[in-house]
Amino acid sequence: YSKSSKLFALLILSTIIIHISGWALNYKLGSFLQISKDAERFYNMLYPATDGGYYEHFQYILLLWCSLLSFIWLYIRKNFEALSIPLIYFYLFIDDSLRLHDQLIGDLLEKFLANYQFFEQDIVRPKDFGEWLYWLFILIVALIISIPGFNSSSQEVRKFMKNNYFLFLVLSFFGAFIDLLGANINKWLPPFLRSEILVEIFILIEELGEILTIAFICIWLFKIVMDNKTSKKQLKL
């Protein structure tokens, strides 16, 4: 990694640490934010799992940066066969920031499954089925629009596609699989092992895993953009 990439990584990771540290300090000390009459509201906004909180807001910014950086990489190379990648990042940004999978399609699918009593069981919630069906549909659309990139004659473009899809897989592990575990773990365990602390641990693993994965993607995209700019300048010289 170049010095500029390392500096960019330091800025992003330090911001994540500041967000999680602020929540942890107030959780532990109980007086970290008591200088304000709105301390309780501020504390809730610092909690990593708060929808639209400070922590998630930074995650939205990172997803937007991923979309822009991946598009810049394509623009520098004058090859737009992998245009699906910046479009996917931008959709994730829109979905995350507007809570589309929770408020729109996710809720509709959940109600549909509950009303018609599909998949009658006590293993997972109808909401989980709804979200998994929603993301399965998004995956199919993403794969269809990614066909030009995977079939590109450029080995570098194909590698770019594969690397991004691998990182999408890691992101889905935390966002879908760990989320599923956290939401249902107490249902699966015997009564004497059930614990709200265990649920909280899974929530933190999910949230930290998601934002660290997105941060890594953003840092990696920044690196390859900078590497391409450097190589272009060297060719001109």
Side-chain angles (χ1 to χ4, degrees):
Y1 280 76
S2 64
K3 288 184 178 180
S4 58
S5 298
K6 289 179 180 178
L7 177 60
F8 186 63
L10 175 64
L11 294 173
I12 287 181
L13 294 176
S14 63
T15 305
I16 294 174
I17 292 170
I18 286 294
H19 277 76
I20 197 70
S21 297
W23 169 76
L25 282 171
N26 199 70
Y27 180 81
K28 184 67 176 177
L29 301 178
S31 59
F32 182 61
L33 291 171
Q34 286 186 10
I35 56 173
S36 169
K37 63 180 180 180
D38 295 322
E40 184 177 349
R41 180 170 62 86
F42 288 156
Y43 169 66
N44 289 333
M45 292 296 285
L46 282 168
Y47 180 53
T50 298
D51 293 340
Y54 301 140
Y55 189 88
E56 282 208 353
H57 187 263
F58 182 57
Q59 183 170 299
Y60 307 156
I61 295 172
L62 289 178
L63 283 170
L64 180 60
W65 287 357
C66 287
S67 178
L68 292 172
L69 286 168
S70 54
F71 181 81
I72 291 170
W73 186 85
L74 298 175
Y75 179 78
I76 291 172
R77 301 199 61 78
K78 306 298 182 186
N79 187 325
F80 293 95
E81 292 174 311
L83 185 60
S84 59
I85 298 301
L87 291 178
I88 291 170
Y89 284 122
F90 187 73
Y91 182 79
L92 291 176
F93 159 70
I94 294 296
D95 177 88
D96 217 5
S97 57
L98 299 182
R99 312 299 302 173
L100 294 183
H101 64 281
D102 285 332
Q103 298 181 15
L104 298 177
I105 302 178
D107 284 349
L108 289 174
L109 285 171
E110 178 186 355
K111 290 176 182 177
F112 178 79
L113 293 172
N115 289 338
Y116 290 90
Q117 297 182 335
F118 285 166
F119 307 107
E120 289 187 6
Q121 40 74 45
D122 293 324
I123 300 175
V124 297
R125 305 168 303 172
K127 180 180 179 180
D128 297 317
F129 275 115
E131 289 202 9
W132 277 67
L133 287 173
Y134 169 71
W135 287 115
L136 178 62
F137 173 76
I138 298 300
L139 174 62
I140 293 171
V141 174
L143 288 171
I144 291 172
I145 65 175
S146 295
I147 291 174
F150 283 118
N151 290 337
S152 173
S153 58
S154 169
Q155 183 179 357
E156 194 166 10
V157 170
R158 295 197 304 273
K159 183 179 179 182
F160 179 73
M161 295 292 300
K162 291 176 182 177
N163 287 340
N164 276 284
Y165 264 86
F166 172 76
L167 292 168
F168 291 151
L169 180 63
V170 176
L171 189 58
S172 65
F173 170 77
F174 291 106
F177 181 68
I178 297 298
D179 177 65
L180 181 71
L181 290 179
N184 297 280
I185 190 68
N186 276 340
K187 188 186 298 184
W188 299 338
L189 292 174
F192 64 91
L193 287 178
R194 294 172 186 172
S195 169
E196 290 303 315
I197 296 177
L198 185 61
V199 174
E200 192 73 20
I201 289 172
F202 274 101
I203 290 174
L204 291 177
I205 291 173
E206 176 198 348
E207 298 298 335
L208 280 171
E210 278 189 6
I211 199 167
L212 288 175
T213 302
I214 295 170
F216 175 81
I217 296 171
C218 192
I219 294 164
W220 169 66
L221 288 170
F222 181 84
K223 175 186 178 299
I224 64 175
V225 166
M226 294 303 296
D227 288 348
N228 271 271
K229 283 189 174 182
T230 302
S231 61
K232 291 281 185 182
K233 287 180 180 178
Q234 288 174 346
L235 285 172
K236 287 181 180 180
L237 293 174

